């Protein structure tokens, strides 16, 4: 069974894909991000969104939706998870490095994990 941190990163990646494909607004990342880091987190996702923005129905017809190819997560320290999400869009692919931290509030984020850093590579 996968850890809670893996599930949190996977859920975050799925939401990012929905944002990149135009199905969700970036503000919906707010509950998954640390309140003080939301601006930086959403900015990294928006930078990629601007580059590939396409009407979702057009993207679906063209088969050009962004998809998650792979999710890798490690926990180097207790309460810290670092992950890599490999995404693909048509023939191109790129990665997102993410860092999650365990919050002391169980109903916060996904299973208490909140995103504190995203770097789109």
């Amino acid at each position: 069974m996968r850890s809670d941190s893996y599930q949190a990163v996977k859920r975050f990646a799925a939401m990012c894909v929905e944002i990149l494909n135009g199905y969700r607004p970036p503000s919906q990342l707010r509950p998954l991000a640390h309140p003080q880091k939301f601006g930086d987190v959403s900015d990294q996702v928006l930078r990629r969104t601007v580059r590939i923005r396409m009407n979702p129905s057009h993207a679906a017809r063209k088969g050009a939706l962004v998809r998650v190819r792979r999710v890798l997560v490690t926990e180097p320290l207790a309460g810290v998870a670092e992950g890599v999400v490999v995404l693909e869009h048509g023939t191109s692919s790129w990665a997102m490095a993410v860092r999650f931290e365990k919050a002391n509030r169980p109903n916060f984020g996904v299973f208490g994990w909140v995103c504190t850093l995203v770097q789109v590579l």
Side-chain angles (χ1 to χ4, degrees):
M1 182 171 177
R2 302 275 176 140
S3 70
D4 287 349
S5 63
Y6 177 85
Q7 297 302 326
V9 172
K10 187 175 172 184
R11 175 67 186 123
F12 182 83
M15 191 167 290
C16 286
V17 164
E18 290 175 0
I19 290 165
L20 292 169
N21 287 327
Y23 294 120
R24 289 181 180 267
S27 62
Q28 290 192 4
L29 285 176
R30 188 176 298 278
L32 305 181
H34 189 281
Q36 295 173 335
K37 306 289 185 176
F38 172 72
D40 296 334
V41 167
S42 63
D43 183 54
Q44 279 293 311
V45 176
L46 284 174
R47 286 182 189 189
R48 180 55 71 162
T49 303
V50 169
R51 286 189 231 161
I52 66 162
R53 177 136 273 177
M54 185 185 300
N55 179 304
S57 61
H58 177 72
R61 283 195 305 274
K62 295 278 189 181
L65 290 171
V66 175
R67 300 183 198 293
V68 174
R69 182 182 290 180
R70 189 166 198 182
V71 176
L72 303 168
V73 179
T74 63
E75 292 183 37
L77 299 170
V80 174
E82 296 175 343
V84 174
V85 179
V86 180
L87 301 165
E88 63 184 5
H89 179 244
T91 59
S92 65
S93 61
W94 70 95
M96 276 192 324
V98 296
R99 179 181 173 101
F100 276 70
E101 295 179 11
K102 186 76 169 175
N104 291 329
R105 297 164 31 194
N107 294 327
F108 193 53
V110 179
F111 302 116
W113 290 93
V114 292
C115 183
T116 59
L117 177 73
V118 173
Q119 182 66 50
V120 177
L121 310 171

